[in-house]
Amino acid sequence: MVDRRRDEVLADAVAGAPEGYDAVVDVVAGAVLGPGLGLLRAGGRWVVAGALDGWAVNIDVRRLYPANLSLVGSTMHTPRIFDHLVEIARRGDVRPVVAVTFPLGQVGESQAQLARRRHVGKLIVVP
């Protein structure tokens, strides 16, 4: 996981895989997507499944075809895969990162925090 709030986001990602990445799953998109394609190995795939940091991106297509890169949009799963993911979650094999839990009476504050986009993880509202 790369903390995209930091100015050094691409440098951090390069340090994490100096030979490049085979695949990146991106639910944030925004300004990092275009330059981020340079982090992929030849034949790599960048999968976009959200646009929390913005839907308009700047991409130099010359990064795609010389290295045979793929830029893919995805809803992330089929119904069969979703059923499998639910089973994994029920077993407790994965745990989401929870940034903050709010009581229902503070749903307005949870929305304000979501809009500020300064958190890492999920914002949870409970009754």
Side-chain angles (χ1 to χ4, degrees):
M1 181 190 293
V2 174
D3 183 351
R4 291 169 73 147
R5 295 174 301 168
R6 296 173 24 93
D7 291 336
E8 303 83 10
V9 63
L10 292 177
D12 290 348
V14 169
E19 301 296 318
Y21 292 90
D22 292 318
V24 171
V25 177
D26 184 358
V27 297
V28 181
V32 172
L33 194 153
L37 292 174
L39 298 171
L40 295 174
R41 293 181 184 155
R45 179 179 289 189
W46 191 287
V47 180
V48 179
L52 294 171
D53 194 35
W55 54 267
V57 298
N58 190 6
I59 296 173
D60 182 342
V61 297
R62 294 171 295 182
R63 292 199 148 196
L64 295 174
Y65 60 85
N68 197 31
L69 302 180
S70 298
L71 179 57
V72 179
S74 174
T75 57
M76 299 190 300
H77 50 72
T78 64
R80 191 186 92 212
I81 291 173
F82 183 76
D83 290 343
H84 182 66
L85 293 173
V86 168
E87 182 57 34
I88 290 170
R90 283 185 179 141
R91 287 194 314 257
D93 291 347
V94 293
R95 294 181 176 263
V97 175
V98 176
V100 182
T101 300
F102 294 93
L104 185 57
Q106 292 181 352
V107 72
E109 174 55 30
S110 72
Q111 289 297 301
Q113 186 163 332
L114 179 65
R116 287 192 293 270
R117 297 183 178 169
R118 294 186 187 136
H119 63 283
V120 174
K122 302 296 183 186
L123 301 180
I124 308 296
V125 177
V126 295

